[in-house]
Amino acid sequence: MKARPQPPFDARRAEMVKHDLAGRGVRDQRVLEAMGSVPREAFVPTTQRRSAYADRALPLRFGQTVSQPYVVAVTLEALRLAPTDRALEIGAGSGYAAAVASRLAAEVFAVERIETLAADARARLGALGYDNVTVVWADGMRGHPASAPYDAIFLSAGARSVPAALFGQLAGGGRLVAPVGGAGRDQQLALYEKPAPGDGSPDSTARRREGLLPVAFVPLLPGVRATGK
């Protein structure tokens, strides 16, 4: 029996936005438009392209993944990115989430600890014209202090607690979203906010505001991994 032909990627992307995102409660129109503009098929391995618009994480090399579209949309909606904002992603992977964020913010920095993934994401984003994304090969636990502070930070890897260095690179009034908890389904996607200067808060420590949804991310690991092609 012949395989049933697949609809064009543009149609599948529009269907994903309608049913998997808007249909599950994502309301921010800018986020929905950004998700609908980024070709996820260009950010997944060739062998996974038929599944590019399935609402699930997809595997990359080195045990990493391309994040689930719904989780990316919930994360970016919670961050409330303004067109003038500067954002930092920890765990760039293939560059998919950074590409979507780049449609919402002025500038995005994406840190990736695995050398080959960082190089591939940098080349891919450049070829696709995402010229306001900078991919950095570095230890994500340390963030990217050279370009701090950031209006928003999001983690595409899970940790038992958010590294203090990341809170230190968050601007006053900034937002941070991270998968927090143990391995597997014990993680909760959590939103933190840092008080703005002059808002009457006794200190500038970022505070957890709410849990957004249960998630399962690959772990946030220290250091960098040098790899060849």
Side-chain angles (χ1 to χ4, degrees):
M1 180 182 293
K2 289 185 178 180
R4 182 176 299 176
Q6 295 289 311
F9 284 124
D10 287 352
R12 292 162 65 186
R13 190 180 315 119
E15 198 73 3
M16 177 199 73
V17 171
K18 179 180 178 180
H19 291 288
D20 296 328
L21 307 183
R24 293 178 65 189
V26 177
R27 294 286 176 260
D28 189 316
Q29 193 60 38
R30 292 182 66 237
V31 171
L32 294 173
E33 290 173 359
M35 294 292 297
S37 73
V38 175
R40 193 175 189 237
E41 70 273 13
F43 292 88
V44 304
T46 303
T47 56
Q48 297 291 327
R49 284 187 177 172
R50 288 175 65 89
S51 301
Y53 293 102
D55 189 34
R56 64 176 185 267
L58 294 174
L60 291 174
R61 289 184 293 169
F62 310 108
Q64 304 305 296
T65 61
V66 183
S67 294
Q68 178 185 355
Y70 177 67
V71 174
V72 173
V74 169
T75 295
L76 296 177
E77 185 171 55
L79 288 173
R80 307 189 307 277
L81 290 169
T84 55
D85 280 351
R86 300 169 72 251
L88 173 67
E89 180 190 18
I90 303 300
S94 69
Y96 174 64
V100 180
S102 77
R103 306 300 86 182
L104 301 165
E107 193 170 13
V108 177
F109 295 86
V111 175
E112 173 53 57
R113 67 178 289 271
I114 299 174
E115 181 184 22
T116 298
L117 292 184
D120 288 351
R122 188 180 300 118
R124 182 179 299 110
L125 289 159
L128 292 170
Y130 295 96
D131 54 7
N132 61 335
V133 181
T134 300
V135 179
V136 181
W137 175 42
D139 181 352
M141 286 192 170
R142 298 177 182 272
H144 184 49
S147 298
Y150 305 96
D151 302 291
I153 298 175
F154 61 105
L155 279 67
S156 295
R160 289 195 174 276
S161 61
V162 178
L166 302 183
F167 284 131
Q169 292 169 34
L170 192 61
R175 292 80 57 204
L176 183 149
V177 171
V180 178
R185 290 288 173 183
D186 290 334
Q187 296 172 1
Q188 183 78 202
L189 195 67
L191 169 65
Y192 298 79
E193 294 189 351
K194 193 168 187 177
D199 72 350
S201 176
D203 60 53
S204 60
T205 304
R207 294 180 178 83
R208 181 166 171 163
R209 177 180 166 186
E210 60 182 301
L212 301 171
L213 72 159
V215 290
F217 275 78
V218 297
L220 178 65
L221 298 173
V224 294
R225 179 174 170 183
T227 54
K229 290 284 184 182

